[in-house]
């Protein structure tokens, strides 16, 4: 079976600088533990990652601070997928960090970012990271303030060959302009979805104008009753799940928009990837936006 026939390719591809990814990817944040804080079965998580690759997923988003007392996302990725396929793009993020007990550390200084990148390299067993996002905010709160010194430090690591491409996360339009003045930015990763952080509609469009990928996390989050009802209505119309509708809506916001839904369940993974083939009609999109 050719790559183009795999389900993850149904939504098309996007160029992240020097690397090409299918627009449906995978987020590793939920691998170490379930939403209620319970550790997941390791064998099942290995199966999820390997099934993702079988489905054509070639973009995995992770971080060294994605870990629980029993599980590390990076260790799981390495155990499941190394040696890596040539087309697999691994994206990580630096800036925040956690100590061995899981407590958040003070936000990294520019001179500490190299150590964080090296830790990701060690955990993932690679000589370079495909994409490194500068994640703004020590406790993962919304980023504020200038980022030039931190982003400049990562740009130096890119020149040194430790990083292929750079992105930014948890940011506003001013951060994008600041970073682009220093080095190429291939992606912006923010919380965004049908009912999450819609103030970033403008940033999403700005990214598209500059050829920068917009990569939302928590894209399937719900919480607004009117919108939830419309999502259910559209899902029933297509015979799909509400989560699939939310992912399809996200992808419909622009060809430069990527999705990185995460799960620890093979069935949910397959549903998420299948959402890339769901085409919402103008009526669907109007109903969802009106909700």
């Amino acid at each position: 079976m050719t790559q183009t026939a795999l389900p993850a390719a149904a939504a098309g591809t996007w160029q992240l600088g020097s690397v090409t990814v299918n627009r449906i990817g995978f987020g590793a944040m939920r691998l170490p533990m379930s939403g209620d804080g319970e550790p997941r079965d390791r064998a099942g998580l290995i199966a999820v990652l390997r099934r993702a690759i079988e489905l054509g997923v070639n973009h995995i988003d992770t971080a060294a601070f994605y870990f629980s007392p029993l599980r590390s996302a990076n260790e799981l990725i390495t155990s499941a997928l190394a040696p890596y396929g040539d087309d697999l793009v691994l994206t990580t993020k630096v800036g925040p960090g956690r100590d061995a007990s899981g407590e958040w550390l003070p936000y990294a200084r520019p001179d500490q970012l190299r150590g964080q990148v090296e830790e990701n390299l060690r955990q993932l067993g690679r000589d370079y990271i495909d994409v490194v996002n500068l994640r703004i905010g020590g406790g993962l709160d919304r980023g504020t303030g200038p980022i030039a010194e931190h982003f400049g430090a990562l740009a130096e690591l890119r020149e040194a060959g430790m990083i292929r491409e750079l992105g930014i996360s948890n940011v506003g339009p001013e951060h994008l302009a600041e970073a682009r003045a220093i080095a190429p930015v291939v992606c912006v990763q923010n919380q965004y979805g049908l009912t999450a952080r819609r103030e970033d509609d403008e940033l999403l469009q700005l990214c598209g104008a500059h050829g920068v990928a917009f990569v939302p996390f928590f894209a399937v989050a719900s919480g607004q009753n009117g919108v939830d009802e419309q999502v259910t209505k559209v899902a029933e119309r297509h015979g799909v799940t509400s989560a699939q509708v939310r992912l399809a809506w996200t992808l419909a916001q622009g060809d430069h928009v990527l999705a990185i839904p995460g799960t620890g369940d093979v069935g949910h993974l397959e549903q998420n990837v299948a959402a890339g083939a769901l085409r919402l009609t103008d009526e669907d999109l109007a109903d969802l936006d009106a909700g």
Side-chain angles (χ1 to χ4, degrees):
M1 184 179 290
T2 64
Q3 175 69 23
T4 55
L6 295 173
T13 62
W14 184 259
Q15 195 77 19
L16 286 175
S18 60
V19 296
T20 303
V21 297
N22 290 325
R23 292 179 63 213
I24 285 280
F26 181 83
M29 185 181 70
R30 298 191 182 193
L31 289 179
M33 66 178 65
S34 63
D36 59 8
E38 292 297 317
R40 299 181 185 274
D41 172 68
R42 188 175 187 278
L45 297 174
I46 296 292
V48 166
L49 286 163
R50 290 176 175 168
R51 181 60 177 151
I53 300 302
E54 291 174 354
L55 294 170
V57 170
N58 60 3
H59 176 211
I60 296 179
D61 177 83
T62 186
F65 54 80
Y66 288 171
F67 67 86
S68 70
L70 291 179
R71 303 278 183 264
S72 157
N74 282 354
E75 184 278 325
L76 289 164
I77 290 167
T78 304
S79 296
L81 305 180
Y84 304 110
D86 292 340
D87 67 337
L88 179 61
V89 173
L90 295 179
T91 297
T92 191
K93 54 195 72 67
V94 295
R98 297 163 67 200
D99 63 23
S101 70
E103 293 298 316
W104 289 106
L105 297 167
Y107 189 73
R109 300 187 310 269
D111 64 309
Q112 293 176 316
L113 294 178
R114 182 186 183 102
Q116 291 191 341
V117 171
E118 289 175 341
E119 180 66 9
N120 279 279
L121 289 170
R122 183 189 67 78
Q123 292 180 4
L124 293 169
R126 301 198 73 174
D127 296 325
Y128 61 85
I129 302 293
D130 295 299
V131 183
V132 172
N133 285 306
L134 176 64
R135 170 79 189 210
I136 311 303
L140 304 189
D141 52 315
R142 184 72 170 209
T144 57
I147 65 171
E149 194 173 356
H150 285 79
F151 194 76
L154 290 182
E156 292 178 2
L157 298 182
R158 177 175 177 267
E159 290 296 318
M162 297 172 64
I163 301 169
R164 293 180 73 176
E165 305 293 348
L166 296 172
I168 49 178
S169 177
N170 210 34
V171 298
E174 69 279 10
H175 300 115
L176 178 59
E178 190 178 2
R180 292 184 70 243
I182 297 169
V185 177
V186 301
C187 58
V188 167
Q189 187 183 102
N190 276 20
Q191 181 178 351
Y192 180 83
L194 181 58
T195 53
R197 293 270 171 86
R198 290 298 299 276
E199 66 268 22
D200 276 347
D201 287 353
E202 180 181 352
L203 178 57
L204 183 153
Q205 295 167 6
L206 181 64
C207 286
H210 290 300
V212 175
F214 189 81
V215 190
F217 57 89
F218 295 154
V220 299
S222 61
Q224 297 182 17
N225 290 336
V227 178
D228 287 347
E229 292 171 2
Q230 290 297 333
V231 171
T232 299
K233 174 182 173 182
V234 173
E236 292 175 347
R237 186 183 295 163
H238 288 274
V240 297
T241 68
S242 293
Q244 287 175 308
V245 169
R246 289 177 179 275
L247 286 171
W249 178 90
T250 299
L251 292 169
Q253 302 311 298
D255 291 342
H256 68 296
V257 180
L258 312 182
I260 49 170
T263 181
D265 179 86
V266 170
H268 289 161
L269 166 72
E270 293 173 344
Q271 291 177 352
N272 289 341
V273 173
L278 176 59
R279 301 292 182 264
L280 299 179
T281 66
D282 291 342
E283 178 185 2
D284 295 330
L285 294 170
D287 285 345
L288 293 169
D289 286 324

